[in-house]
Amino acid sequence: MDGNASPHADAPLIDPFARAISYLRVSVTDRCDFRCVYCMSEDMTFLPKAEILSLEELDRLCSAFVRLGVRKLRLTGGEPLVRRNVMSLIRNLGRHVRSGTLDELTLTTNGSQLAKFADELVDAGVRRINVSLDTLDAGRFAQLTRWGKLDQVLDGLKAAKRAGLQVKINAVALKGMNDDEFDRLIAWSGDEGFDLVFIEVMPMGEIGGDARLDQYLPLSMVRAEISKSWTLDETDYRTGGPARYFTVRETGRRLGFITPLTHNFCESCNRVRLTCTGTLYMCLGQDDAADLRAPLRASDDDGALDRAIRAAIARKPKGHDFVIDRRHSGPAVQRHMSVTGG
Ligand code: SAM
Ligand code: SF4
């Protein structure tokens, strides 16, 4: 379907700062069965259904990126596993893993639907998943997610393990909410055989009042606290994502830190993000975006789509400017994390 006659049609995607774009994150839905306090407000307005790409359109878009050199694809959201029939998309995308054009097909999930889907995910070619879990206390979990049930997620994690999926736990560090649980999370992840990544709260989307400022906890402080109980050995392990990893000597598992606010990781950024309406964000922390839905729908031929993708990559900014302090307690970008995907 490639109608682009340019001799450079298959040239890799390189941005203006010489970074090769090899990682696409796709928010397959902005909807979710949870309402985590740092991610969403309680009464969210979601995108109108009519604007959302069909699963076939999402497959075609993802496949165009794979043809242009993307080697890693992460499905996220909202909650990717609540989109109706999402397994058909995942199964179809698995063909790129089987053919060797994609190194990894993975997803970030809140785990609520894993008990149902873990085996199917493995069948489709998924090997590793990220599961978000900020607390191991059932009451706190209910407070933090507003609508979630801890047991359901723990059952999902059991199913994932049984199915043979490698699991990485994502935990957002939240002042006054889970800052007394870091040791417990590290010990539990070690026992379960999961890697663990702590994430700083990012100022994305309105969640009400000064909540972000109240939640924000710099990971430099978290690391100092953790180091009192655990030995963190430096590693050069990289997943192509933004985390910096250590090995916890006592558990043998990896511990990562994603520090968009205290440590800027943009210089090695290799990724772009696609929303479920076909909007491509070249940076999580900037508003510039490219509409890929129009060229996708304009023709069955991918020529115009490829050109739109290349034009977007040519505008990828150098980095984000996230700041959270008294003068900047509002969102740096208006959209919520669930629109662009975390
Ligand atoms: N629903 C799935 C989940 O929770 O894993 C996938 C989407 S969620 C938006 C992806 C990740 O973004 C989660 O690990 C979540 O904790 C994180 N996240 C959401 N809002 C955030 C924020 N404002 N700052 C930092 N991380 C955030
Ligand atoms: Fe849903 Fe994930 Fe956002 Fe929580 S972090 S509300 S699970 S999209």
Side-chain angles (χ1 to χ4, degrees), residues 25 27 29 31-34 36-40 75-81 107-111 130-134 169-174 197 199-205 207 212 215 260-261 284 324 336-342:
R25 294 189 176 213
S27 174
T29 175
R31 287 158 202 260
C32 188
D33 52 344
F34 292 2
C36 301
V37 293
Y38 49 81
C39 179
M40 294 195 182
L75 305 187
T76 172
E79 175 46 42
L81 294 179
L107 68 159
T108 301
T109 170
N110 64 23
N130 290 3
V131 179
S132 304
L133 181 62
D134 308 317
I169 301 293
N170 282 347
V172 179
L174 299 158
V197 173
I199 307 175
E200 269 169 4
V201 167
M202 290 173 240
M204 299 190 62
I207 55 167
R212 284 273 161 50
Q215 295 165 354
L261 288 120
L284 180 65
I324 297 185
H336 290 85
M337 186 72 111
S338 47
V339 172
T340 350

Side-chain angles (χ1 to χ4, degrees), residues 135-142 150 181 184:
T135 174
L136 290 165
D137 177 283
R140 253 185 209 179
F141 185 86
L150 179 64
E181 265 195 86
R184 185 176 176 197

Side-chain angles (χ1 to χ4, degrees), residues 309-324:
I309 293 174
R310 287 191 186 285
I313 300 299
R315 299 207 307 269
K316 183 168 161 68
K318 195 166 179 193
H320 66 69
D321 333 286
F322 287 144
V323 189
I324 297 185

